[in-house]
Amino acid sequence: MSLTDVTTVPVGGPSLAQERRLVTAIPGPRSQELLERKADAVPSGVGHTVPVHAVAAGGGVVVDADGNSLIDLGSGIAVTTVGNAHPKVVEAVRAQVAQFTHTCFMISPYESYVAVAESLNRLTPGDHAKKTALFNSGAEAVENAVKIARKHTRRSAVVAFDHAYHGRTNLTMALTAKAMPYKSGFGPFAADVYRAPLSYPYRDGLTGPEAARRTISVIEKQVGADNLAAVVIEPIQGEGGFIVPAEGFLEELVRWCRENGVVFIADEVQTGFARTGEMFASDVFGIVPDLLTTAKGIAAGLPLAAVTGRAEIMDASHAGGLGGTYGGNPIACAAALAAIDVFENDGLIERAREVGAVLTRRLRALQVADPRIGDVRGRGAMIAAEFVVPGTGEPDAALAASVARASIAEGVIVLTCGTYGNVIRFLPPLSIGDDLLNEGLDVVAAALNAAQ
Ligand SMILES: Cc1ncc(COP(=O)(O)O)c(C=O)c1O
């Protein structure tokens, strides 16, 4: 079996034709052939949402192996925020790969790792002294944040939240709330992890301070502040359904953590890097986390993740306690420095707000016309619609799945999420044009109208 003939594959990046173009059914014959190979070679546990094989991507589109061009409203789950194959990232990666590909930072350090750390220390909330350690994935960053918090506090308990998602490694499965598909059958899980209620304004009707009081009471009664190393929370939940806590909830939780010597860890793996219309979601609420984890958007698709935080907490670990063979790989660091340049200098925070305004306006208009959309929420270019049974507000996962499936069949990549599977989330690359964004939303609207 040969790989796709490279002479027929379009070059990715923003020069790709910015259009939705269906030349076959989805999936087309070439994608079908590749999906059969996938089924034979790759375990069924590694699923896929969109039944096509990608060959190029850029701007606001993904081109598949049959020449179909799909509108991308998912960014590979909030990763290609600067746009796929962004020219600055491509150039930086090309230059680095020709220079050296790996030394292992723990063996022979190099400047780009330090430069990424300096950028994150500068960009993350708070003007206190900070340090950053780099890793490969979001889950690895969260694991390390917990390790660091435990070492610093000499306590072991960790609190995570209802609807949380933090990854698929053993500790992060324990932190993650949803059993299916993330945890079911994969236990036993890491010990000393406790779950607390979140603020979910659409479903609990509580103000932020009320929700915080409930949460703090659960933590104090079931864990005890003296035993608690860290609270780990996504300031706006990602996989859990783009849940934005009520105003005052996070602020109150940060205050309580500080009063009790508990490390407040903001997991910004999904929300980081301009996605929410601020550089970080913590900035949306004006909170300053003790530690902050990032990944996804940080390096435009190359595997990189980070823990950034108060220098005295980050320095708690003994020498050699943190790291990994590939953590802060030089190619990923080159990509990150290029991506950070784009985030800072190419108006991406502003663009996220514009994209968010289009998404919110269009989805709210749909909601007014269709009571099956119970809630439209999010910040910046991270907006979701929650589908419900009108009258009862019961989650309607079947409707969300059917709208997503029909949209994909018409050449628009959308993702579902939520504990109940009844949320469609919109996370377009910020390189998408308004025309394409609106066309994508037209397709989603038509899919909703057609769904029974
Ligand atoms: C908030 C959050 N934390 C952690 C992770 C895990 O990141 P990764 O898949 O890179 O391990 C994710 C991934 O979706 C995430 O959304």
Side-chain angles (χ1 to χ4, degrees), residues 77 137-140 142 165-167 234 239 267 269-270 295-296:
I77 324 186
S137 70
E140 211 190 329
V142 173
Y165 181 85
H166 298 288
E234 302 154 82
E239 307 300 302
D267 180 353
V269 165
Q270 191 154 157
K296 290 189 184 281

mmCIF file with all atom_site columns, all heavy atoms in Angstrom, residues 77 137-140 142 165-167 234 239 267 269-270 295-296, ligand 1:
data_model
loop_
_atom_site.group_PDB
_atom_site.id
_atom_site.type_symbol
_atom_site.label_atom_id
_atom_site.label_alt_id
_atom_site.label_comp_id
_atom_site.label_asym_id
_atom_site.label_entity_id
_atom_site.label_seq_id
_atom_site.pdbx_PDB_ins_code
_atom_site.Cartn_x
_atom_site.Cartn_y
_atom_site.Cartn_z
_atom_site.occupancy
_atom_site.B_iso_or_equiv
_atom_site.pdbx_formal_charge
_atom_site.auth_seq_id
_atom_site.auth_comp_id
_atom_site.auth_asym_id
_atom_site.auth_atom_id
_atom_site.pdbx_PDB_model_num
ATOM   1   N N   . ILE A 1 77  ? -9.854  20.036 17.636 1.00 0.00 ? 77  ILE A N   1
ATOM   2   C CA  . ILE A 1 77  ? -10.161 20.248 19.061 1.00 0.00 ? 77  ILE A CA  1
ATOM   3   C C   . ILE A 1 77  ? -9.316  21.395 19.641 1.00 0.00 ? 77  ILE A C   1
ATOM   4   O O   . ILE A 1 77  ? -8.472  21.186 20.523 1.00 0.00 ? 77  ILE A O   1
ATOM   5   C CB  . ILE A 1 77  ? -10.032 18.979 19.931 1.00 0.00 ? 77  ILE A CB  1
ATOM   6   C CG1 . ILE A 1 77  ? -10.474 17.706 19.196 1.00 0.00 ? 77  ILE A CG1 1
ATOM   7   C CG2 . ILE A 1 77  ? -10.840 19.165 21.213 1.00 0.00 ? 77  ILE A CG2 1
ATOM   8   C CD1 . ILE A 1 77  ? -10.493 16.450 20.080 1.00 0.00 ? 77  ILE A CD1 1
ATOM   9   N N   . SER A 1 137 ? 1.927   16.725 26.268 1.00 0.00 ? 137 SER A N   1
ATOM   10  C CA  . SER A 1 137 ? 0.475   16.695 26.057 1.00 0.00 ? 137 SER A CA  1
ATOM   11  C C   . SER A 1 137 ? -0.222  17.378 27.220 1.00 0.00 ? 137 SER A C   1
ATOM   12  O O   . SER A 1 137 ? 0.377   17.559 28.301 1.00 0.00 ? 137 SER A O   1
ATOM   13  C CB  . SER A 1 137 ? -0.023  15.247 25.977 1.00 0.00 ? 137 SER A CB  1
ATOM   14  O OG  . SER A 1 137 ? 0.066   14.662 27.262 1.00 0.00 ? 137 SER A OG  1
ATOM   15  N N   . GLY A 1 138 ? -1.475  17.702 26.997 1.00 0.00 ? 138 GLY A N   1
ATOM   16  C CA  . GLY A 1 138 ? -2.250  18.343 28.051 1.00 0.00 ? 138 GLY A CA  1
ATOM   17  C C   . GLY A 1 138 ? -2.326  17.486 29.298 1.00 0.00 ? 138 GLY A C   1
ATOM   18  O O   . GLY A 1 138 ? -2.164  17.971 30.425 1.00 0.00 ? 138 GLY A O   1
ATOM   19  N N   . ALA A 1 139 ? -2.565  16.182 29.106 1.00 0.00 ? 139 ALA A N   1
ATOM   20  C CA  . ALA A 1 139 ? -2.680  15.281 30.258 1.00 0.00 ? 139 ALA A CA  1
ATOM   21  C C   . ALA A 1 139 ? -1.382  15.280 31.051 1.00 0.00 ? 139 ALA A C   1
ATOM   22  O O   . ALA A 1 139 ? -1.384  15.301 32.289 1.00 0.00 ? 139 ALA A O   1
ATOM   23  C CB  . ALA A 1 139 ? -3.020  13.867 29.784 1.00 0.00 ? 139 ALA A CB  1
ATOM   24  N N   . GLU A 1 140 ? -0.265  15.258 30.339 1.00 0.00 ? 140 GLU A N   1
ATOM   25  C CA  . GLU A 1 140 ? 1.035   15.234 31.014 1.00 0.00 ? 140 GLU A CA  1
ATOM   26  C C   . GLU A 1 140 ? 1.252   16.533 31.808 1.00 0.00 ? 140 GLU A C   1
ATOM   27  O O   . GLU A 1 140 ? 1.822   16.521 32.905 1.00 0.00 ? 140 GLU A O   1
ATOM   28  C CB  . GLU A 1 140 ? 2.134   15.068 29.965 1.00 0.00 ? 140 GLU A CB  1
ATOM   29  C CG  . GLU A 1 140 ? 3.334   14.313 30.462 1.00 0.00 ? 140 GLU A CG  1
ATOM   30  C CD  . GLU A 1 140 ? 4.502   14.367 29.489 1.00 0.00 ? 140 GLU A CD  1
ATOM   31  O OE1 . GLU A 1 140 ? 4.280   14.441 28.265 1.00 0.00 ? 140 GLU A OE1 1
ATOM   32  O OE2 . GLU A 1 140 ? 5.638   14.368 29.972 1.00 0.00 ? 140 GLU A OE2 1
ATOM   33  N N   . VAL A 1 142 ? -1.141  18.377 33.152 1.00 0.00 ? 142 VAL A N   1
ATOM   34  C CA  . VAL A 1 142 ? -1.998  18.339 34.349 1.00 0.00 ? 142 VAL A CA  1
ATOM   35  C C   . VAL A 1 142 ? -1.384  17.416 35.410 1.00 0.00 ? 142 VAL A C   1
ATOM   36  O O   . VAL A 1 142 ? -1.328  17.753 36.596 1.00 0.00 ? 142 VAL A O   1
ATOM   37  C CB  . VAL A 1 142 ? -3.433  17.892 33.974 1.00 0.00 ? 142 VAL A CB  1
ATOM   38  C CG1 . VAL A 1 142 ? -4.281  17.692 35.222 1.00 0.00 ? 142 VAL A CG1 1
ATOM   39  C CG2 . VAL A 1 142 ? -4.097  18.913 33.045 1.00 0.00 ? 142 VAL A CG2 1
ATOM   40  N N   . TYR A 1 165 ? -12.878 17.474 32.346 1.00 0.00 ? 165 TYR A N   1
ATOM   41  C CA  . TYR A 1 165 ? -12.049 16.615 31.491 1.00 0.00 ? 165 TYR A CA  1
ATOM   42  C C   . TYR A 1 165 ? -10.607 17.088 31.601 1.00 0.00 ? 165 TYR A C   1
ATOM   43  O O   . TYR A 1 165 ? -10.310 18.261 31.352 1.00 0.00 ? 165 TYR A O   1
ATOM   44  C CB  . TYR A 1 165 ? -12.494 16.659 30.020 1.00 0.00 ? 165 TYR A CB  1
ATOM   45  C CG  . TYR A 1 165 ? -11.644 15.738 29.173 1.00 0.00 ? 165 TYR A CG  1
ATOM   46  C CD1 . TYR A 1 165 ? -11.945 14.384 29.064 1.00 0.00 ? 165 TYR A CD1 1
ATOM   47  C CD2 . TYR A 1 165 ? -10.502 16.217 28.528 1.00 0.00 ? 165 TYR A CD2 1
ATOM   48  C CE1 . TYR A 1 165 ? -11.142 13.522 28.332 1.00 0.00 ? 165 TYR A CE1 1
ATOM   49  C CE2 . TYR A 1 165 ? -9.696  15.353 27.788 1.00 0.00 ? 165 TYR A CE2 1
ATOM   50  C CZ  . TYR A 1 165 ? -10.016 14.016 27.704 1.00 0.00 ? 165 TYR A CZ  1
ATOM   51  O OH  . TYR A 1 165 ? -9.210  13.159 26.982 1.00 0.00 ? 165 TYR A OH  1
ATOM   52  N N   . HIS A 1 166 ? -9.709  16.151 31.959 1.00 0.00 ? 166 HIS A N   1
ATOM   53  C CA  . HIS A 1 166 ? -8.305  16.529 32.082 1.00 0.00 ? 166 HIS A CA  1
ATOM   54  C C   . HIS A 1 166 ? -7.372  15.583 31.348 1.00 0.00 ? 166 HIS A C   1
ATOM   55  O O   . HIS A 1 166 ? -6.161  15.777 31.408 1.00 0.00 ? 166 HIS A O   1
ATOM   56  C CB  . HIS A 1 166 ? -7.909  16.627 33.557 1.00 0.00 ? 166 HIS A CB  1
ATOM   57  C CG  . HIS A 1 166 ? -8.674  17.679 34.311 1.00 0.00 ? 166 HIS A CG  1
ATOM   58  N ND1 . HIS A 1 166 ? -8.467  19.032 34.134 1.00 0.00 ? 166 HIS A ND1 1
ATOM   59  C CD2 . HIS A 1 166 ? -9.689  17.582 35.215 1.00 0.00 ? 166 HIS A CD2 1
ATOM   60  C CE1 . HIS A 1 166 ? -9.290  19.721 34.918 1.00 0.00 ? 166 HIS A CE1 1
ATOM   61  N NE2 . HIS A 1 166 ? -10.046 18.865 35.582 1.00 0.00 ? 166 HIS A NE2 1
ATOM   62  N N   . GLY A 1 167 ? -7.902  14.544 30.672 1.00 0.00 ? 167 GLY A N   1
ATOM   63  C CA  . GLY A 1 167 ? -7.019  13.682 29.889 1.00 0.00 ? 167 GLY A CA  1
ATOM   64  C C   . GLY A 1 167 ? -7.298  12.207 30.107 1.00 0.00 ? 167 GLY A C   1
ATOM   65  O O   . GLY A 1 167 ? -8.265  11.831 30.775 1.00 0.00 ? 167 GLY A O   1
ATOM   66  N N   . GLU A 1 234 ? -11.049 23.691 35.003 1.00 0.00 ? 234 GLU A N   1
ATOM   67  C CA  . GLU A 1 234 ? -11.037 24.391 33.719 1.00 0.00 ? 234 GLU A CA  1
ATOM   68  C C   . GLU A 1 234 ? -11.875 25.661 33.919 1.00 0.00 ? 234 GLU A C   1
ATOM   69  O O   . GLU A 1 234 ? -13.057 25.553 34.242 1.00 0.00 ? 234 GLU A O   1
ATOM   70  C CB  . GLU A 1 234 ? -11.696 23.538 32.640 1.00 0.00 ? 234 GLU A CB  1
ATOM   71  C CG  . GLU A 1 234 ? -11.067 22.177 32.417 1.00 0.00 ? 234 GLU A CG  1
ATOM   72  C CD  . GLU A 1 234 ? -12.079 21.178 31.859 1.00 0.00 ? 234 GLU A CD  1
ATOM   73  O OE1 . GLU A 1 234 ? -12.316 21.176 30.638 1.00 0.00 ? 234 GLU A OE1 1
ATOM   74  O OE2 . GLU A 1 234 ? -12.634 20.401 32.666 1.00 0.00 ? 234 GLU A OE2 1
ATOM   75  N N   . GLU A 1 239 ? -14.542 19.702 27.216 1.00 0.00 ? 239 GLU A N   1
ATOM   76  C CA  . GLU A 1 239 ? -15.302 18.483 26.885 1.00 0.00 ? 239 GLU A CA  1
ATOM   77  C C   . GLU A 1 239 ? -16.605 18.427 27.684 1.00 0.00 ? 239 GLU A C   1
ATOM   78  O O   . GLU A 1 239 ? -17.587 17.843 27.242 1.00 0.00 ? 239 GLU A O   1
ATOM   79  C CB  . GLU A 1 239 ? -14.478 17.224 27.200 1.00 0.00 ? 239 GLU A CB  1
ATOM   80  C CG  . GLU A 1 239 ? -13.092 17.181 26.572 1.00 0.00 ? 239 GLU A CG  1
ATOM   81  C CD  . GLU A 1 239 ? -13.145 17.253 25.066 1.00 0.00 ? 239 GLU A CD  1
ATOM   82  O OE1 . GLU A 1 239 ? -13.786 16.399 24.437 1.00 0.00 ? 239 GLU A OE1 1
ATOM   83  O OE2 . GLU A 1 239 ? -12.545 18.194 24.512 1.00 0.00 ? 239 GLU A OE2 1
ATOM   84  N N   . ASP A 1 267 ? -6.690  24.628 34.527 1.00 0.00 ? 267 ASP A N   1
ATOM   85  C CA  . ASP A 1 267 ? -6.366  23.823 33.347 1.00 0.00 ? 267 ASP A CA  1
ATOM   86  C C   . ASP A 1 267 ? -6.866  24.588 32.125 1.00 0.00 ? 267 ASP A C   1
ATOM   87  O O   . ASP A 1 267 ? -8.056  24.595 31.820 1.00 0.00 ? 267 ASP A O   1
ATOM   88  C CB  . ASP A 1 267 ? -7.029  22.445 33.457 1.00 0.00 ? 267 ASP A CB  1
ATOM   89  C CG  . ASP A 1 267 ? -6.720  21.573 32.235 1.00 0.00 ? 267 ASP A CG  1
ATOM   90  O OD1 . ASP A 1 267 ? -6.115  22.089 31.265 1.00 0.00 ? 267 ASP A OD1 1
ATOM   91  O OD2 . ASP A 1 267 ? -7.099  20.386 32.243 1.00 0.00 ? 267 ASP A OD2 1
ATOM   92  N N   . VAL A 1 269 ? -5.790  24.035 29.018 1.00 0.00 ? 269 VAL A N   1
ATOM   93  C CA  . VAL A 1 269 ? -5.357  23.286 27.830 1.00 0.00 ? 269 VAL A CA  1
ATOM   94  C C   . VAL A 1 269 ? -6.268  23.605 26.637 1.00 0.00 ? 269 VAL A C   1
ATOM   95  O O   . VAL A 1 269 ? -5.792  23.792 25.519 1.00 0.00 ? 269 VAL A O   1
ATOM   96  C CB  . VAL A 1 269 ? -5.335  21.772 28.150 1.00 0.00 ? 269 VAL A CB  1
ATOM   97  C CG1 . VAL A 1 269 ? -5.244  20.928 26.882 1.00 0.00 ? 269 VAL A CG1 1
ATOM   98  C CG2 . VAL A 1 269 ? -4.167  21.461 29.078 1.00 0.00 ? 269 VAL A CG2 1
ATOM   99  N N   . GLN A 1 270 ? -7.577  23.693 26.882 1.00 0.00 ? 270 GLN A N   1
ATOM   100 C CA  . GLN A 1 270 ? -8.504  23.973 25.777 1.00 0.00 ? 270 GLN A CA  1
ATOM   101 C C   . GLN A 1 270 ? -8.775  25.476 25.629 1.00 0.00 ? 270 GLN A C   1
ATOM   102 O O   . GLN A 1 270 ? -8.999  25.970 24.523 1.00 0.00 ? 270 GLN A O   1
ATOM   103 C CB  . GLN A 1 270 ? -9.815  23.201 25.964 1.00 0.00 ? 270 GLN A CB  1
ATOM   104 C CG  . GLN A 1 270 ? -10.706 23.244 24.747 1.00 0.00 ? 270 GLN A CG  1
ATOM   105 C CD  . GLN A 1 270 ? -11.669 22.068 24.593 1.00 0.00 ? 270 GLN A CD  1
ATOM   106 O OE1 . GLN A 1 270 ? -12.675 22.175 23.932 1.00 0.00 ? 270 GLN A OE1 1
ATOM   107 N NE2 . GLN A 1 270 ? -11.382 20.927 25.158 1.00 0.00 ? 270 GLN A NE2 1
ATOM   108 N N   . ALA A 1 295 ? -1.599  23.595 26.500 1.00 0.00 ? 295 ALA A N   1
ATOM   109 C CA  . ALA A 1 295 ? -1.188  22.632 25.455 1.00 0.00 ? 295 ALA A CA  1
ATOM   110 C C   . ALA A 1 295 ? -1.902  23.092 24.177 1.00 0.00 ? 295 ALA A C   1
ATOM   111 O O   . ALA A 1 295 ? -1.952  24.293 23.909 1.00 0.00 ? 295 ALA A O   1
ATOM   112 C CB  . ALA A 1 295 ? -1.550  21.200 25.836 1.00 0.00 ? 295 ALA A CB  1
ATOM   113 N N   . LYS A 1 296 ? -2.450  22.171 23.416 1.00 0.00 ? 296 LYS A N   1
ATOM   114 C CA  . LYS A 1 296 ? -3.283  22.454 22.241 1.00 0.00 ? 296 LYS A CA  1
ATOM   115 C C   . LYS A 1 296 ? -2.802  23.657 21.423 1.00 0.00 ? 296 LYS A C   1
ATOM   116 O O   . LYS A 1 296 ? -1.863  23.546 20.644 1.00 0.00 ? 296 LYS A O   1
ATOM   117 C CB  . LYS A 1 296 ? -4.734  22.614 22.675 1.00 0.00 ? 296 LYS A CB  1
ATOM   118 C CG  . LYS A 1 296 ? -5.378  21.277 23.129 1.00 0.00 ? 296 LYS A CG  1
ATOM   119 C CD  . LYS A 1 296 ? -6.861  21.435 23.332 1.00 0.00 ? 296 LYS A CD  1
ATOM   120 C CE  . LYS A 1 296 ? -7.553  20.198 23.876 1.00 0.00 ? 296 LYS A CE  1
ATOM   121 N NZ  . LYS A 1 296 ? -7.819  19.170 22.887 1.00 0.00 ? 296 LYS A NZ  1
HETATM 122 C C1  . LIG B 2 .   ? -9.102  20.963 29.580 1.00 0.00 ? 1   LIG B C1  1
HETATM 123 C C2  . LIG B 2 .   ? -8.266  19.837 29.051 1.00 0.00 ? 1   LIG B C2  1
HETATM 124 N N1  . LIG B 2 .   ? -7.290  19.325 29.814 1.00 0.00 ? 1   LIG B N1  1
HETATM 125 C C3  . LIG B 2 .   ? -6.508  18.318 29.393 1.00 0.00 ? 1   LIG B C3  1
HETATM 126 C C4  . LIG B 2 .   ? -6.702  17.765 28.143 1.00 0.00 ? 1   LIG B C4  1
HETATM 127 C C5  . LIG B 2 .   ? -5.827  16.632 27.692 1.00 0.00 ? 1   LIG B C5  1
HETATM 128 O O1  . LIG B 2 .   ? -4.952  17.088 26.705 1.00 0.00 ? 1   LIG B O1  1
HETATM 129 P P1  . LIG B 2 .   ? -4.210  16.043 25.764 1.00 0.00 ? 1   LIG B P1  1
HETATM 130 O O2  . LIG B 2 .   ? -5.252  15.405 24.909 1.00 0.00 ? 1   LIG B O2  1
HETATM 131 O O3  . LIG B 2 .   ? -3.228  16.886 24.997 1.00 0.00 ? 1   LIG B O3  1
HETATM 132 O O4  . LIG B 2 .   ? -3.526  15.073 26.672 1.00 0.00 ? 1   LIG B O4  1
HETATM 133 C C6  . LIG B 2 .   ? -7.700  18.254 27.307 1.00 0.00 ? 1   LIG B C6  1
HETATM 134 C C7  . LIG B 2 .   ? -7.941  17.683 25.981 1.00 0.00 ? 1   LIG B C7  1
HETATM 135 O O5  . LIG B 2 .   ? -8.966  17.820 25.363 1.00 0.00 ? 1   LIG B O5  1
HETATM 136 C C8  . LIG B 2 .   ? -8.505  19.328 27.768 1.00 0.00 ? 1   LIG B C8  1
HETATM 137 O O6  . LIG B 2 .   ? -9.501  19.831 27.014 1.00 0.00 ? 1   LIG B O6  1
#
